Amino acid sequence: MTGDHQTLALLLFSGFVAVTLGITTWVSRRRHGSAEEFYAGGRLFSPMENGFAIAGDYMSAASFLGISGLIALYGYDGLLYGVGFFVAWLVVLFLVAELVRNCGRFTLADVVAARMSERPVRIAAGTSSVMVSVLYLVAQMVGAGSLVALLLGRTSGAAQVWAVIGVGALMVIYVSLGGMRATTWIQIVKAVLLLSGTVVLTVLVLLRFHGDVDRLLLTAADRSGHGRAFLAPGLKYGGDWTARLDFISLGLALVLGTAGLPHILSRFYTVPTARAARRSVVWSIGLIGSFYLMTIVLGFGAAALVGPGAVRASNAAGNTAVPLLALDVGGGAGSTGGTVLFAVVAAVAFATILAVVAGITLASSASVAHDLYASLRRPGAKAPRGEVAVARWAAVGIGVVAIALGLLARDLNVAFLVGLAFAVAASANLPVLLYSLFWRGFTTRGAVWAVYGGLLPAIGLVLLSPVVSGSPDSLFPGVDFQYFPLENPGVVSIPLGFLAGWLGTVTSDEEADEAGYAETEVRSLTGAGAV
């Protein structure tokens, strides 16, 4: 796009940034300096408000841009990402939502440390939470770079670099000034905009095919160049045993990882009761489920109307499929309708990225301040500054790291990057969380081993995988230190996390805290004594 159309797109694109900055400024004037206000928004949100916020936090760039792009490129196999993301919410609803709300205050480590030696457990859980958050942030940065570069009419170079830097700067402002309350309202606004934009785009795609979904799918298959194979399993994850095992690994990570994501767990603390937390998840399941159904139409619509070739030409990983689809169904390049719809979709996608990065940054800065900073200080030493002040500075540091990694990984698909974050969360956070809630004999050594026993293999296997080296699509294609054949480490690292937790417990000389477990069990199931 050039000239007046590009100006219009940029104006619409900038509108949401102005609105969200206004929300943050308004909330920052009304906030208090307490940790409960900064981390949990005063626990004043209703189940419906929190459900929309959870949906806004979860429906990330990986969902809107990445999954639709993968469907446009790989058909049925891309659809499997959406299935995994959605099914994961059943694990959250039935296993962790209510229990986590009853047992903790602000972070995952609060739940685990309730009946353990706090210092080693908090350091381990805090480190894992920060690692997961940074990986998740990188995916959002990559999505922002692809989106803004397309908006400016460039597919690489300075546009992507400045987009990543801009998103990083905005997320630091949102978190440091507004805390959880501003972040929550940004997520609510974003969820409404995203769902509205997705509905409009879905309706327009279906109207192009007169509501005939079969015709949509067949057209997508014909234009894909793969024929009916585009609508069947195996295009991306078929073939040899490595590809099939990689799919199993991905599925495990997606289904189990959500329950270990720090920014999702922190949302359960923003409501007043455990019952409200459970109802929040019910609201979010309805919203998220509707959204993922529509991404199927968007992905196959992009394949049918734009074509996989054009999608790859714009962005090799498929991250720009939905904006290109909006341009097409709005009237095509150069038309006012296409420009307006493209700009609206771009603004919604950018809103998605900003809201998600704010939630992730808040959760990770809370882990740094509430878990790591408090634990690493010398016992009895006076804190040089308040915990909330440390959290704000932590947001700056995390933002810098995420920007640097986002620039490094800007050519990878965002859904794939999020899959890696889910694998680390499922390997390191989920085992220690489930053991702490349900195993009476679990010990401090078991908790620490569970975290590091999942975290280190997950990170190590990623570094030795085709993601980093050994193939043309790797981060470093010119070198080869690939020794692990799978792109997603979940099938190995998740069992290792559970195994390490069990092994650490059975080899520990520490007596299990029976009284502490009994108190935790009563509290988790009844809410008695919960904050």
Side-chain angles (χ1 to χ4, degrees):
M1 293 185 299
T2 58
D4 295 337
H5 286 163
Q6 190 177 67
T7 302
L8 173 63
L10 288 171
L11 287 174
L12 291 171
F13 184 73
S14 303
F16 181 82
V17 176
V19 170
T20 53
L21 286 174
I23 292 173
T24 303
T25 303
W26 175 70
V27 171
S28 68
R29 292 176 178 175
R30 299 165 58 90
R31 65 175 172 80
H32 304 290
S34 68
E36 183 169 334
E37 178 71 23
F38 186 79
Y39 295 144
R43 309 186 199 279
L44 299 176
F45 294 100
S46 69
M48 184 181 74
E49 291 170 342
N50 199 44
F52 270 88
I54 291 173
D57 217 355
Y58 193 70
M59 295 184 301
S60 66
S63 303
F64 191 52
L65 302 178
I67 292 177
S68 300
L70 285 173
I71 294 174
L73 297 181
Y74 301 107
Y76 183 92
D77 280 12
L79 167 66
L80 296 173
Y81 272 87
V83 174
F85 282 139
F86 179 60
V87 170
W89 277 100
L90 299 179
V91 178
V92 176
L93 176 62
F94 291 118
L95 285 182
V96 302
E98 186 173 353
L99 305 184
V100 165
R101 173 59 186 81
N102 283 338
C103 291
R105 288 187 70 213
F106 305 126
T107 65
L108 166 70
D110 287 336
V111 180
V112 181
R115 61 188 183 95
M116 309 287 178
S117 297
E118 285 205 31
R119 192 169 188 269
V121 169
R122 285 193 180 276
I123 292 172
T127 300
S128 174
S129 295
V130 171
M131 290 295 297
V132 172
S133 297
V134 169
L135 280 173
Y136 212 113
L137 279 173
V138 170
Q140 311 311 312
M141 297 297 187
V142 171
S146 301
L147 189 66
V148 174
L150 181 64
L151 187 68
L152 296 175
R154 300 177 178 91
T155 57
S156 62
Q160 286 180 298
V161 172
W162 285 109
V164 171
I165 294 173
V167 170
L170 285 170
M171 79 183 186
V172 170
I173 293 171
Y174 292 150
V175 172
S176 60
L177 291 182
M180 178 59 85
R181 187 166 294 185
T183 298
T184 299
W185 282 111
I186 289 170
Q187 288 164 345
I188 291 172
V189 172
K190 167 254 172 149
V192 173
L193 289 175
L194 180 60
L195 288 168
S196 301
T198 307
V199 167
V200 170
L201 207 53
T202 300
V203 169
L204 289 175
V205 170
L206 291 176
L207 286 176
R208 288 284 289 269
F209 293 91
H210 306 289
D212 190 342
V213 177
D214 284 345
R215 184 181 165 200
L216 165 64
L217 297 176
L218 292 174
T219 304
D222 290 340
R223 192 161 185 185
S224 70
H226 298 285
R228 293 299 181 96
F230 191 70
L231 306 177
L235 195 58
K236 181 174 176 61
Y237 294 109
D240 60 13
W241 68 270
T242 303
R244 295 171 185 268
L245 192 59
D246 217 349
F247 167 68
I248 295 173
S249 187
L250 171 68
L252 282 173
L254 295 181
V255 171
L256 299 178
T258 302
L261 292 176
H263 66 291
I264 297 299
L265 295 176
S266 66
R267 291 239 52 94
F268 300 139
Y269 301 127
T270 63
V271 290
T273 65
R275 182 171 182 267
R278 187 172 65 251
R279 291 174 61 197
S280 297
V281 177
V282 174
W283 270 99
S284 65
I285 285 176
L287 297 170
I288 293 168
S290 303
F291 171 76
Y292 280 125
L293 285 175
M294 290 186 285
T295 60
I296 299 173
V297 177
L298 299 186
F300 284 110
L305 299 175
V306 180
V311 171
R312 281 194 177 92
S314 173
N315 181 273
N319 295 328
T320 55
V322 171
L324 291 174
L325 175 65
L327 194 63
D328 186 280
V329 297
S335 68
T336 301
T339 299
V340 170
L341 189 57
F342 173 88
V344 169
V345 169
V348 168
F350 197 64
T352 297
I353 293 166
L354 290 178
V356 173
V357 297
I360 300 168
T361 305
L362 181 61
S364 54
S365 63
S367 294
V368 171
H370 187 63
D371 300 325
L372 297 178
Y373 174 73
S375 299
L376 292 172
R377 274 201 338 261
R378 286 183 293 113
K382 184 178 179 181
R385 54 178 60 89
E387 188 177 297
V388 173
V390 174
R392 291 193 174 104
W393 280 107
V396 176
I398 291 166
V400 171
V401 172
I403 288 171
L405 293 176
L407 293 175
L408 181 65
R410 62 179 181 264
D411 293 326
L412 296 180
N413 182 275
V414 288
F416 169 72
L417 288 169
V418 168
L420 295 181
F422 273 63
V424 177
S427 304
N429 291 349
L430 185 63
V432 72
L433 180 61
L434 294 184
Y435 278 149
S436 298
L437 291 172
F438 299 110
W439 187 5
R440 182 182 300 273
F442 198 43
T443 64
T444 299
R445 177 190 283 184
V448 173
W449 284 26
V451 172
Y452 292 127
L455 176 64
L456 297 179
I459 299 295
L461 291 176
V462 168
L463 293 176
L464 299 175
S465 74
V467 176
V468 177
S469 70
S471 73
D473 298 325
S474 300
L475 288 178
F476 304 105
V479 296
D480 186 0
F481 46 88
Q482 174 198 334
Y483 298 102
F484 182 67
L486 306 182
E487 293 185 346
N488 193 292
V491 72
V492 176
S493 59
I494 295 173
L496 284 178
F498 281 98
L499 178 62
W502 172 82
L503 190 61
T505 298
V506 299
T507 60
S508 174
D509 295 330
E510 174 190 354
E511 290 290 334
D513 186 357
E514 295 283 347
Y517 176 78
E519 181 181 348
T520 300
E521 185 177 38
V522 171
R523 184 172 174 177
S524 66
L525 295 175
T526 67
V531 178

